[in-house]
């Protein structure tokens, strides 16, 4: 039986890797529970968690930038398309190492293009469905809590989350990260509004 999967998404800098680290650290305090984390971001540099497997073993943004002279975004798209075309056996072989009792988090890249007009992540999820993970996957979308202090950023983050949910067609959980940087009152106020107009009016009155 396939393992359980969390597919962690969100804009660059939204705290995805920190979330993965927190989940892994929390599981370490529980009896008979271990969470494995894999890096699926070819542009990643450092991690606070223990990495089970890393897409950079296959291809990295740094190597593509040096060899093909592409920019950072173009190199990232190239890496993910390379994974789909040449690295899916590598990916499946690593997944096959986990059993039904295992829990695996995939720390995914944050570039919006991969979830919108370039269907890279959708194709990756479709492959996971074919491999039997249909009922074992959930999408986790991280949004920086500081976005709550700016109406335009909050709406942008919400729309990005909605786009990912629709594109991937997965059970979906939104997670506010970096909540220690925003007052509890602000968080509660922003989450209680019922419309974009009401949100805008609240910001104008601050």
């Amino acid at each position: 039986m396939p393992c359980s999967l969390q597919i962690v998404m969100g804009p660059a800098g939204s705290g995805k890797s920190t979330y993965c680290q927190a989940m892994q650290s929390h599981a370490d305090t529980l009896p008979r529970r271990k969470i494995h984390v894999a890096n699926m971001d070819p542009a990643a540099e450092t991690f606070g968690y223990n990495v089970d497997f890393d897409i950079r073993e296959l291809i990295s943004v740094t190597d593509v930038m040096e060899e093909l002279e592409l920019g950072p975004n173009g190199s990232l798209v190239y890496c993910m398309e390379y994974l789909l075309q040449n690295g899916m056996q590598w990916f499946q072989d690593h997944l096959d190492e986990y059993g039904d009792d295992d829990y695996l988090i995939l720390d995914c890249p944050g570039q919006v293009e991969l979830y919108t007009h370039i269907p890279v992540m959708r194709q990756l999820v479709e492959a996971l469905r074919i491999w039997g993970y249909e009922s074992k996957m959930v999408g986790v979308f991280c949004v920086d809590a500081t976005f709550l202090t700016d109406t335009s950023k909050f709406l942008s983050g919400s729309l990005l989350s909605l786009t990912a949910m629709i594109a991937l067609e997965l059970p979906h959980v939104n997670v506010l990260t970096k909540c220690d940087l925003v007052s509890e009152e602000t968080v509660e106020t922003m989450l209680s509004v019922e419309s974009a107009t009401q949100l805008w009016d609240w910001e104008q009155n601050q």
Side-chain angles (χ1 to χ4, degrees), residues 13-187:
S14 61
K16 297 185 296 297
S17 295
T18 303
Y19 165 83
C20 294
Q21 177 187 355
M23 289 291 290
Q24 190 177 67
S25 298
H26 175 66
D28 288 342
T29 66
L30 303 176
R32 301 178 62 186
R33 169 57 71 186
K34 179 176 176 61
I35 289 180
H36 307 274
V37 184
N39 173 50
M40 297 301 291
D41 183 356
E45 296 180 354
T46 58
F47 311 100
Y49 53 78
N50 296 320
V51 184
D52 267 44
F53 63 90
D54 189 340
I55 191 176
R56 295 176 306 170
E57 301 167 3
L58 182 70
I59 189 169
S60 72
V61 163
T62 301
D63 291 341
V64 172
M65 289 178 67
E66 290 177 356
E67 294 180 18
L68 301 182
E69 299 183 351
L70 297 174
N73 285 342
S75 296
L76 179 61
V77 172
Y78 180 92
C79 288
M80 297 307 292
E81 290 179 341
Y82 182 90
L83 170 66
L84 289 175
Q85 295 170 11
N86 304 288
M88 294 306 281
Q89 188 60 54
W90 168 88
F91 185 38
Q92 188 174 16
D93 288 344
H94 278 294
L95 292 178
D96 288 344
E97 296 174 3
Y98 305 97
D100 183 51
D101 291 334
D102 291 316
Y103 201 101
L104 176 64
I105 295 178
L106 301 179
D107 187 5
C108 298
Q111 271 63 15
V112 178
E113 303 96 310
L114 301 176
Y115 304 89
T116 54
H117 58 284
I118 302 175
V120 169
M121 293 304 297
R122 180 178 178 85
Q123 291 176 30
L124 191 66
V125 169
E126 287 299 328
L128 289 168
R129 287 193 174 99
I130 293 171
W131 296 340
Y133 291 89
E134 175 73 51
S135 62
K136 307 282 284 187
M137 291 187 291
V138 63
V140 176
F141 196 93
C142 296
V143 178
D144 191 329
T146 58
F147 280 23
L148 298 178
T149 61
D150 186 305
T151 300
S152 59
K153 288 182 179 180
F154 180 63
L155 292 175
S156 175
S158 299
L159 290 172
L160 286 175
S161 173
L162 180 61
T163 299
M165 181 175 66
I166 292 172
L168 302 185
E169 298 181 3
L170 286 175
H172 192 89
V173 178
N174 291 317
V175 174
L176 283 175
T177 60
K178 307 180 184 179
C179 288
D180 56 317
L181 302 180
V182 182
S183 69
E184 184 176 346
E185 180 183 359
T186 299
V187 173

